[in-house]
Structure formats: C-alpha cells, structure tokens
Amino acid sequence: MATADVLDTVLSVLRGEGIPVDELHETGKPGNGEYRIVLDSTPVRIRSRAVADAAPGTLEAVDPPTARTQVLFAAAGALSEKAEVVFDRLVRAVRLRGQCYTSAEIDTIVRGMPLVDRYATPEPALRDWALIFRDHYVENSVGFLLGIERVGIDPKWIFALSKGDRTLHRDRVHAWFLHRGYRSDILDNSVINGSADTAERAYALAVNEQVDQFIREAHASGRKVLVIDDGGLLAQGYGADGVLDERIDGALELTVSGLKRIVNAPGELTVPVLNMARSRLKTMLGYHEIADSCVRRLRAILPGEKFLGRHVLLIGFGTLGARVAHYLRSQGVRVAVVDTDMLALIAAAEHGYETYTSAAEALRAHSPFLVIGNTGELALTEEELPLLPDGVYLAGFATKDFSLLSEGFEGLRSTEIPHVGVRYTLPTGTTATLLGDGRSLNLFEYEGIANRGYDAYRAGTLIAARLLCREAGRLGPGLHLEPVDHAIDEAGLFAAYYEQYLASGSRRPAAPAQDGTAPETR
C-alpha cells in the first residue's frame, strides 16, 4: 500500500467509530505521512514511510514494483478501554488493507491464468447460485474465483474457506477475499481428519455455523448452493441424507481423499457430485504439475543437502508417487519404492525401480537419507520407526503420511526448526526431521503450483461448475465422472492448453509499439 492508502484506511475507521475526521491533524511537512489524533484524551501518533527494495509479494514481479509502506501507531500514554478498542481497530484495518493485493498484482495473477480467462464467460445458470469454495489459499485460487465471478456468481454469494495450510501468501489471499466482498474463514483439515485439539474443534464448530447460515440465507433468497471442495466438507453431511439440517444442491470434489470421505460418510448422497479428482484432466495434466511442485519445494527446503546419487525411499507409487519418483530419478537420485498394491509395484519394477512390499523390508535393505510419503494413509508404523537411519528426513505430500509423528506418542520428543520442520527424537535415541508442518510439504510456506501450471485444471473446474449448475436436475444424486470428461472434451480445453503452452513454434504476440500501432508480422 502507498502512504495515501494509510490515510484513507484510517479515515474510514474513524468515520465508522463516529469520530469527526477533522480531529485528525497532519504534523510536520505536508504529505510526509505523519498524523496526530486524540482518542479519549490520549494523543496517538500515526507515522508511515515507504519501504525501498521490497521483495515481490506475488509469484510474478509487478512492473512498476508495488509500493510498500511501514506504519507506526504510537499512543502517548495509557489508553482507556474505549480508546483501546478504536486503536486496535485502526491497527487491524491498516494491517488488513496492507496485506490486500493491489489492482496491478491482481492483473498479474489474471494474466498468469489465460485459460481460466478464456473459459470464464457468462453462464446465466450460475446467476441463481451461491458458492462455498474450500481449498488452499494460493494465488491460483484468487484467479479461479475471479473467473467464477465473471461466469456469473455475485461476490457477496461466495464463501471461501482455507484448509489451514501454511501457504506463503495465505494472509494476503484472505485479506483480498474480504476486500472483494467474499466471506472468508478457516475450516482446518485437522478437524476433517479427526486430529484437531479442543480449541480447533470449537473454532470449526463456529465456522460450521457460519456455513449453515450462509446456506440458509442463499436458499431464502432463492439461490441454490454449489460446493467446490478440496476434500472433506461434504463428508460432514451437507450433501447427504439425515446428517446435517442444512443441505447444498451440488458439488465438485477435487481430491481423491475427498472422494474417500464422501463414500465413507454416513447418510446416502442426495446431490450430484462431479468427480474432478479422477478426471482425465487431473490425471493426465494436474498430477505432473503437483509432482513438479513437490520436488521443487523439497529441494528448496534442503538447499544444503546433496541429492545426486543418494538413496531415497518413496512410499506409495500411485498417480502422484510415480511422477515424484520419475522427477527425482531424472535428477540422479537412487529411488526405491514401497507399495502394497501389486499392480503399482509391478509398474515400479518394470520402470527399473527397486521395489519392496513394506517399509520395514526396504529400510533393512537401504539407509536412505530421505523418506517420502505419497499414500494418504500412514506411511510408517510405530514398529517401523526404529528402522529409520539416524538423521533421516521425512517428506509427506499427503497430510496423513507421517501423522504418527506429528500427532505424537509416549516417549517422543520434538524440537521445532523454523522454516524447515520438526526434529523428533525417537524412544530409541535416533532422530528424524519431519519437513514442513506435517501436512503436504509443497504447501508449507510456499505457493504450491505455479499459476500457469494449474491454469488448465482451474479452467476445467470452471467448465465443470457451469455444467453442474445447468444440469443439476438431470445429473441426479451420486458421483459423476463421465460428464466431467465429456464437458472438458467438448469445450476443447486440451487443444487450448496445447496451443497456449506447448505447440512448437508458437509464441506470444509482441507488445504494441510505443505509438500504439500493432507490431509488424512476417
């Protein structure tokens, strides 16, 4: 934010508190960003100054760079209870405004998702729907929801929910969602997984009440409710019979873990759910980008480690695990694979990997410096932990992989290593460092997948949302995969993706000349 934005935000709070704005006085030289106001007899100074050479707050740098400002609120003495309320609101408002994306940054995010822009055309059917969107708070979620707006859902009828991951710019995303007019909160994955503590569960219950109220308000206004979910919300019963009072009208499920929760949830599914998780789009394109982000984050969080030629144990050779294995091997890593699924193990062996049916068997044969989990289930049992070599790193790309450690047990000691993870001392005296926060490592203090890398999947999700809102009645209750693949094929998304990013000889149009004329073409 610029210093002028600070003044605008302060004046907005004062008006909201009923404090005459003419009581805010500029001090020092005009335009230097210094002000004084008296709150219930206590003077408060407000000072701001530009911060030079700040790093970009988005994945792509903005030209010219976004202005950054440092702001100081200083009370001259003790504040009364009434004054402290106003003081705190001033600080919160400026902090929230300062975290919000600028229009130039938003333009950069939108330009980074050209396929979403291409398919975000008005769809009359969506005008009568409200949206509950639960996913990671990353830039491509911002670009996607802007696309949803252009398709036809009013911002005031969008409720965004974070999954609770420590993504790099989550506070900026939350601030911008609120600024845009969405409702925004956290429904933490730990609550969905059943590993949350008492405080987290209590907070989740409060958020659930907000979701219930949002659904009630939408239905009262004649709207249907669409859920786009990255695993778990539906399993609480919003689309099932006899579980919760409030009911949604249709959903898109983005993850395999979410599909499992839906299938295992109590109550019969009574709404159509489009299966994005098993779609050809995610299987053929999405998982390559996810694997790429996993390996890039892994290398970045261990910049001092040698990877070339060393042993890594990879547990789970499924859709994601197979791609992670290939990426690592292409970088000279010696990868051994564990899987309990015999077809997956055969595929790994026939691709030239050493294979094992259990982690115990693999750990007796190798001393890996790194163990990677891709299973979505417990990757290591308590009996297998003593077999880990001392000093090993553990990298989980699904939350439950190493939850045995992150949830703790008797005799386990831990030390947090900021920006890296948690080092555990096992009852045997050996140590293992769980990288990140025990959740998906590619979302730990990181943006995850590049905006252009997830552009096609987000565009496909738009296409599927349009389909569901047009044809919810015809689709009927249950999980649907074939209509997703058909709609994406019919929309020509794969051809658009190829031409946008991959076609040989394709290049972006040159920028217009300074005189505004089009560049000469040959």
Side-chain angles (χ1 to χ4, degrees), residues 305 368-370 388-394 423-424 430-433:
E305 272 297 343
F369 86 99
L370 170 67
L388 290 171
D390 189 28
V392 69
Y393 293 108
L394 307 175
R423 179 164 294 149
Y424 292 94
T430 58
T431 65
T433 300

Side-chain angles (χ1 to χ4, degrees), residues 3 38 149 189 196 298 315 345 373 432:
T3 53
V38 177
E149 286 186 43
N189 246 20
L298 180 60
I315 304 176
L345 213 58

Side-chain angles (χ1 to χ4, degrees), residues 34-78:
E34 295 189 13
Y35 300 90
R36 180 179 179 274
I37 191 170
V38 177
L39 298 180
D40 202 17
S41 77
T42 302
V44 173
R45 283 193 308 157
I46 304 169
R47 301 178 63 187
S48 58
R49 65 176 185 179
V51 178
D53 300 326
T58 48
L59 289 177
E60 293 190 42
V62 177
D63 185 20
T66 302
R68 301 297 182 87
T69 302
Q70 186 179 54
V71 184
L72 171 69
F73 291 85

Side-chain angles (χ1 to χ4, degrees), residues 166-180:
R166 284 169 57 179
T167 49
L168 185 61
H169 296 139
R170 61 193 182 280
D171 292 337
R172 301 205 72 196
V173 174
H174 171 66
W176 192 84
F177 283 168
L178 293 176
H179 177 74
R180 190 70 180 172

Side-chain angles (χ1 to χ4, degrees), residues 234-313:
L234 266 178
Q236 296 177 84
Y238 287 106
D241 186 34
V243 181
L244 295 177
D245 293 335
E246 303 307 326
R247 301 275 291 283
I248 61 168
D249 301 280
L252 276 67
E253 177 51 54
L254 307 180
T255 66
V256 173
S257 59
L259 293 178
K260 292 177 181 177
R261 293 185 184 108
I262 291 170
V263 170
N264 294 327
E268 184 178 351
L269 198 60
T270 59
V271 300
V273 180
L274 296 189
N275 181 352
M276 291 297 299
R278 297 290 192 190
S279 66
R280 288 193 298 125
L281 173 63
K282 185 162 188 180
T283 301
M284 301 301 294
L285 301 184
Y287 279 107
H288 279 298
E289 298 291 347
I290 296 169
D292 176 62
S293 76
C294 291
V295 174
R296 283 191 289 115
R297 184 60 184 131
L298 180 60
R299 297 296 299 261
I301 206 169
L302 295 173
E305 272 297 343
K306 174 179 171 62
F307 278 70
L308 190 66
R310 299 185 74 187
H311 282 287
V312 167
L313 178 60

Side-chain angles (χ1 to χ4, degrees), residues 94-427:
V94 169
R95 180 180 287 120
L96 192 66
R97 176 64 183 79
Q99 289 171 334
C100 192
Y101 290 109
T102 67
S103 58
E105 289 174 325
I106 289 296
D107 288 344
T108 300
I109 293 171
V110 171
R111 283 196 303 271
M113 303 180 73
L115 296 177
V116 168
D117 191 50
R118 175 173 179 162
Y119 287 98
T121 54
E123 170 58 63
L126 267 78
R127 293 174 187 161
D128 297 324
W129 286 72
L131 171 66
I132 300 170
F133 173 82
R134 182 172 178 270
D135 206 336
H136 307 295
Y137 271 26
V138 292
E139 286 184 17
N140 66 65
S141 293
V142 172
F144 173 75
L145 288 181
L146 280 170
I148 279 285
E149 286 186 43
R150 295 195 296 278
V151 171
I153 296 184
D154 191 299
K156 71 180 181 181
W157 289 110
I158 296 176
F159 196 149
L161 291 165
S162 165
K163 294 180 65 177
D165 294 284
R166 284 169 57 179
T167 49
L168 185 61
H169 296 139
R170 61 193 182 280
D171 292 337
R172 301 205 72 196
V173 174
H174 171 66
W176 192 84
F177 283 168
L178 293 176
H179 177 74
R180 190 70 180 172
Y182 307 167
R183 304 180 207 198
S184 177
D185 217 309
I186 299 173
L187 187 56
D188 200 293
N189 246 20
S190 63
V191 179
I192 304 296
N193 294 335
S195 60
D197 60 25
T198 303
E200 289 169 333
R201 287 195 295 271
Y203 189 88
L205 287 173
V207 173
N208 274 345
E209 178 52 41
Q210 293 181 50
V211 173
D212 290 347
Q213 182 61 28
F214 180 80
I215 296 171
R216 286 193 290 268
E217 290 173 6
H219 286 159
S221 71
R223 294 176 180 272
K224 295 180 180 178
V225 178
L226 169 68
V227 164
I228 298 178
D229 191 12
D230 194 275
L233 186 65
L234 266 178
Q236 296 177 84
Y238 287 106
D241 186 34
V243 181
L244 295 177
D245 293 335
E246 303 307 326
R247 301 275 291 283
I248 61 168
D249 301 280
L252 276 67
E253 177 51 54
L254 307 180
T255 66
V256 173
S257 59
L259 293 178
K260 292 177 181 177
R261 293 185 184 108
I262 291 170
V263 170
N264 294 327
E268 184 178 351
L269 198 60
T270 59
V271 300
V273 180
L274 296 189
N275 181 352
M276 291 297 299
R278 297 290 192 190
S279 66
R280 288 193 298 125
L281 173 63
K282 185 162 188 180
T283 301
M284 301 301 294
L285 301 184
Y287 279 107
H288 279 298
E289 298 291 347
I290 296 169
D292 176 62
S293 76
C294 291
V295 174
R296 283 191 289 115
R297 184 60 184 131
L298 180 60
R299 297 296 299 261
I301 206 169
L302 295 173
E305 272 297 343
K306 174 179 171 62
F307 278 70
L308 190 66
R310 299 185 74 187
H311 282 287
V312 167
L313 178 60
L314 185 136
I315 304 176
F317 198 77
T319 310
L320 176 60
R323 287 160 173 78
V324 170
H326 298 336
Y327 271 93
L328 287 171
R329 185 162 67 177
S330 72
Q331 297 178 19
V333 178
R334 299 158 72 184
V335 181
V337 170
V338 171
D339 206 303
T340 55
D341 182 274
M342 198 50 61
L343 282 178
L345 213 58
I346 290 169
E350 293 186 346
H351 277 92
Y353 297 99
E354 291 186 49
T355 54
Y356 303 91
T357 57
S358 70
E361 182 186 4
L363 289 169
R364 290 188 182 101
H366 293 286
S367 182
F369 86 99
L370 170 67
V371 178
I372 297 174
N374 303 277
T375 66
E377 305 294 339
L378 279 181
L380 293 174
T381 66
E382 195 165 348
E383 292 73 28
E384 291 165 337
L385 289 180
L387 299 175
L388 290 171
D390 189 28
V392 69
Y393 293 108
L394 307 175
F397 295 124
T399 301
K400 199 170 182 180
D401 286 326
F402 300 111
S403 57
L404 181 65
L405 291 174
S406 57
E407 293 175 16
F409 56 85
E410 188 176 353
L412 185 69
R413 303 194 310 276
S414 63
T415 303
E416 184 173 354
I417 306 172
H419 309 297
V420 174
V422 179
R423 179 164 294 149
Y424 292 94
T425 302
L426 305 177

